[in-house]
Amino acid sequence: MTQQLEARRRTPLNRDRVLRAAVALADEVGLESLSMRRLAEELGVVPMALYKHVANKEELLDGMVANLIGEIDPPVPDGDWKRAVRLRVLSARRALQRHPWARQAIESRTNKTPAVLDYMESFTGMFLAGGFSADLTHHVMHALGGRMWGFTQELFDDPAGTTAESPADVPPEARAAMFQQMAARYPNIVAIATSTHHDEGSVVGHGCDDQFEFEFALDLLLDGFERLHEEGWSSRRAKLDRTESGDRQRAPLPE
Amino acid sequence: MTQQLEARRRTPLNRDRVLRAAVALADEVGLESLSMRRLAEELGVVPMALYKHVANKEELLDGMVANLIGEIDPPVPDGDWKRAVRLRVLSARRALQRHPWARQAIESRTNKTPAVLDYMESFTGMFLAGGFSADLTHHVMHALGGRMWGFTQELFDDPAGTTAESPADVPPEARAAMFQQMAARYPNIVAIATSTHHDEGSVVGHGCDDQFEFEFALDLLLDGFERLHEEGWSSRRAKLDRTESGDRQRAPLPE
DNA sequence: AACGCTAGGTGTACGGGGTACACTTGTCAA
DNA sequence: TTGACAAGTGTACCCCGTACACCTAGCGTT
């Protein structure tokens, strides 16, 4: 009995063990049943012990999401942007499917943690490397947003807001410094965030035209629907086409 | 003082008043601060009083969503499916924007309430009326899902599951009866749900190929991106095109 | 050897949440 | 008058996140 306790002590808790246990527990019982108390019990520890390793439940969830992002394959160093993006999105999807709680967790998260920003940064890079303009990349990221995450909307609203901080209480020179840091660490994100409006030095993503972004993606889909309709598309034929062509690169273009 | 109480009594609570108060409260304080207790207080009533009008908080949220759906404009009786869909989606978006809690509420909801089914039914009808095959409509609905709602994924998993009921405890003849009811009330939904696999009588949407749905939408977007990229698309020009052409029907087709 | 610092774990307690259950009360038909 | 029924009440239970004071083991310094 004392032995058991000591055995536990021998590998003391740490942030990573906590996060991994949280992921495993959520996998098992679902996100709605993941409580600090239950997680603590799972770890053979008193609830408050967790707070020595995560600030609060929010941060726990952020950490879980970060772990999940770690499961997504890095971009393949392919010359073909489309192929690279496709593979990456499908990899992300696989990660989400392994963890049924993930979708909900991501959607509920509003803070842009470094893990999320890193992912976005590298994702953005795939388009830019493919020769896309920053402008087009910007809109494309918005359109794709919901497909990989729930981060469609307020993505670029406040790039400085990686932690909870109201804009008002940050002195201007500090804001400038943060912008420098952002630009250094996330050049792609900053590039596309500042693409559509040229007032570089000022607030970064303030003028992101939500309505336009939405209609951009909507019309892209509607136009695609129309084309398929006119072509007499059917899922059966699409599946046949897919299997007979090389891999799984569907080719809905007529010629 | 007794008068105030009596004034309250004179218009006794009812389901609709509860739901409307809930919507108003959520608009004000956010979904995370909407509690049964607070809502009761707002209505000048003890928390348990609410349970005479809604079964529980889940049902309250379902009701709120139903109210919200009621704010979406009905489909315009237009010959042009694209125009009709576009207007409807934009109307839905406006409704969501009026109620910041809506997105989160919809995403968290998993039950398919009549209100949601009615909306889907009429939405589906727009494509079918436009001459789309049930097959294509099926995929198109999936692809569009995330744009209007969060109901992309498990939409057709269990059409009988409008209320919480495990499939096992429903006798087969009852299932058949439910199917008849579904088909009568939601002909369009049933049509597209049964489109891709022909085993009509059996479980309806069991064989919905999630992976295929996902790739369908993904490739539609990627192909669209590619086309815009090749055309040298820019948001500035797109906005100019939009304003000079009739209304807001973007025309990305080269000719 | 004695000390004191610190990181990690504990125990207690508070306020808030959803809701089961037994109750009162006001209204109206018979 | 009665008595049934719908609406509202009061109390209580269990779960949640987490603030705060405390303990304890291990360690480097003196």
Side-chain angles (χ1 to χ4, degrees):
Chain A
M1 171 170 175
T2 314
Q3 302 229 343
Q4 287 182 21
L5 291 178
E6 276 193 48
R8 284 256 154 74
R9 294 254 164 73
R10 209 150 295 282
T11 38
L13 239 42
N14 59 38
R15 192 181 152 91
D16 192 57
R17 284 223 310 144
V18 169
L19 292 181
R20 279 214 294 243
V23 167
L25 185 55
D27 283 347
E28 255 183 68
V29 302
L31 196 59
E32 68 289 345
S33 301
L34 173 70
S35 68
M36 298 300 272
R37 296 174 121 102
R38 179 139 184 203
L39 176 57
E41 195 182 4
E42 209 79 10
L43 286 163
V45 114
V46 95
M48 286 311 292
L50 301 176
Y51 289 86
K52 287 277 151 59
H53 302 99
V54 283
N56 48 43
K57 195 178 182 183
E58 292 277 292
E59 199 191 282
L60 179 80
L61 291 173
D62 282 340
M64 293 170 65
V65 170
N67 268 24
L68 185 136
I69 290 177
E71 290 186 17
I72 302 174
D73 296 330
V76 298
D78 196 320
D80 183 0
W81 66 266
K82 202 173 175 183
R83 185 179 169 77
V85 168
R86 197 171 195 282
L87 288 174
R88 195 106 193 267
V89 171
L90 292 179
S91 171
R93 176 173 153 84
R94 260 175 273 126
L96 286 214
Q97 283 181 322
R98 277 194 295 274
H99 304 290
W101 49 267
R103 193 185 151 87
Q104 199 183 335
I106 290 170
E107 277 164 357
S108 77
R109 237 85 289 292
T110 163
N111 277 356
K112 294 167 263 318
T113 62
V116 170
L117 288 170
D118 283 342
Y119 178 65
M120 283 178 43
E121 171 69 11
S122 104
F123 208 103
T124 307
M126 289 191 282
F127 288 106
L128 295 176
F132 277 49
S133 71
D135 178 30
L136 179 54
T137 302
H138 178 154
H139 298 283
V140 148
M141 287 288 288
H142 272 280
L144 209 46
R147 288 284 139 206
M148 7 185 241
W149 293 144
F151 62 33
T152 313
Q153 29 204 29
E154 63 294 312
L155 227 198
F156 305 116
D157 287 359
D158 178 18
T162 44
T163 52
E165 246 169 337
S166 75
D169 62 5
V170 180
E173 64 273 15
R175 280 194 80 77
M178 285 201 292
F179 181 86
Q180 297 297 343
Q181 273 191 306
M182 277 290 293
R185 171 139 188 200
Y186 305 113
N188 295 337
I189 295 178
V190 168
I192 69 171
T194 54
S195 62
T196 29
H197 24 72
H198 317 86
D199 45 347
E200 287 242 356
S202 78
V203 186
V204 180
H206 200 69
C208 191
D209 184 345
D210 267 5
Q211 184 69 23
F212 183 79
E213 305 297 351
F214 186 85
E215 295 188 22
F216 172 83
L218 175 59
D219 287 328
L220 213 51
L221 285 170
L222 292 181
D223 290 340
F225 299 163
E226 186 171 43
R227 192 164 348 231
L228 294 179
H229 177 41
E230 285 164 357
E231 284 170 17
W233 182 95
S234 93
S235 61
R236 197 171 51 75
R237 225 185 43 191
K239 288 184 186 184
L240 291 177
D241 287 354
R242 190 176 63 176
T243 53
E244 81 192 16
S245 83
D247 192 359
R248 40 181 50 213
Q249 197 70 308
R250 207 164 48 69
L253 293 169
E255 48 176 49
Chain B
M1 172 174 177
T2 315
Q3 302 228 345
Q4 286 182 21
L5 292 178
E6 277 193 47
R8 284 255 153 77
R9 295 253 163 74
R10 211 152 293 285
T11 37
L13 239 41
N14 59 37
R15 193 181 153 89
D16 193 57
R17 283 224 310 144
V18 169
L19 292 181
R20 279 215 293 245
V23 167
L25 185 55
D27 283 348
E28 254 183 69
V29 302
L31 196 57
E32 68 289 344
S33 302
L34 173 70
S35 69
M36 297 300 272
R37 295 173 124 102
R38 179 139 184 201
L39 176 57
E41 195 182 3
E42 209 79 11
L43 286 162
V45 115
V46 94
M48 286 312 291
L50 301 176
Y51 289 85
K52 286 277 151 56
H53 304 99
V54 281
N56 48 43
K57 195 178 181 182
E58 292 278 291
E59 199 190 282
L60 179 79
L61 292 173
D62 282 340
M64 291 169 66
V65 170
N67 268 24
L68 185 137
I69 291 177
E71 290 187 16
I72 301 174
D73 295 331
V76 298
D78 195 319
D80 182 1
W81 66 266
K82 203 173 175 184
R83 186 180 169 77
V85 169
R86 196 171 196 284
L87 287 175
R88 195 107 193 267
V89 171
L90 292 180
S91 170
R93 176 172 154 83
R94 260 175 273 126
L96 286 215
Q97 284 180 321
R98 277 194 295 272
H99 304 289
W101 48 268
R103 194 185 150 88
Q104 197 183 336
I106 290 169
E107 276 164 358
S108 76
R109 237 84 290 291
T110 162
N111 277 356
K112 292 167 263 318
T113 61
V116 170
L117 287 170
D118 283 342
Y119 178 65
M120 283 178 44
E121 171 70 10
S122 104
F123 208 101
T124 307
M126 289 191 280
F127 288 107
L128 295 176
F132 278 48
S133 72
D135 179 29
L136 179 55
T137 302
H138 178 154
H139 298 283
V140 147
M141 287 288 289
H142 273 280
L144 209 45
R147 288 281 141 210
M148 8 185 239
W149 294 144
F151 62 33
T152 313
Q153 31 204 28
E154 63 293 312
L155 228 196
F156 305 117
D157 287 357
D158 177 18
T162 43
T163 53
E165 245 169 338
S166 75
D169 62 5
V170 181
E173 64 274 14
R175 279 193 82 76
M178 283 201 293
F179 182 86
Q180 297 297 343
Q181 273 191 306
M182 278 290 292
R185 170 140 188 200
Y186 305 113
N188 295 336
I189 295 177
V190 169
I192 69 170
T194 54
S195 61
T196 28
H197 25 74
H198 317 86
D199 47 345
E200 285 245 355
S202 77
V203 187
V204 181
H206 200 69
C208 190
D209 184 346
D210 266 5
Q211 183 69 23
F212 183 79
E213 305 298 351
F214 186 84
E215 296 188 21
F216 172 83
L218 176 58
D219 288 328
L220 212 52
L221 285 170
L222 293 181
D223 290 340
F225 298 163
E226 187 171 41
R227 190 162 307 132
L228 294 180
H229 177 41
E230 286 165 356
E231 283 170 18
W233 182 94
S234 92
S235 61
R236 196 170 51 76
R237 225 185 42 193
K239 289 184 188 186
L240 290 178
D241 287 355
R242 191 176 63 176
T243 52
E244 81 192 17
S245 85
D247 192 0
R248 39 182 51 210
Q249 198 70 310
R250 208 165 45 72
L253 293 167
E255 49 176 49

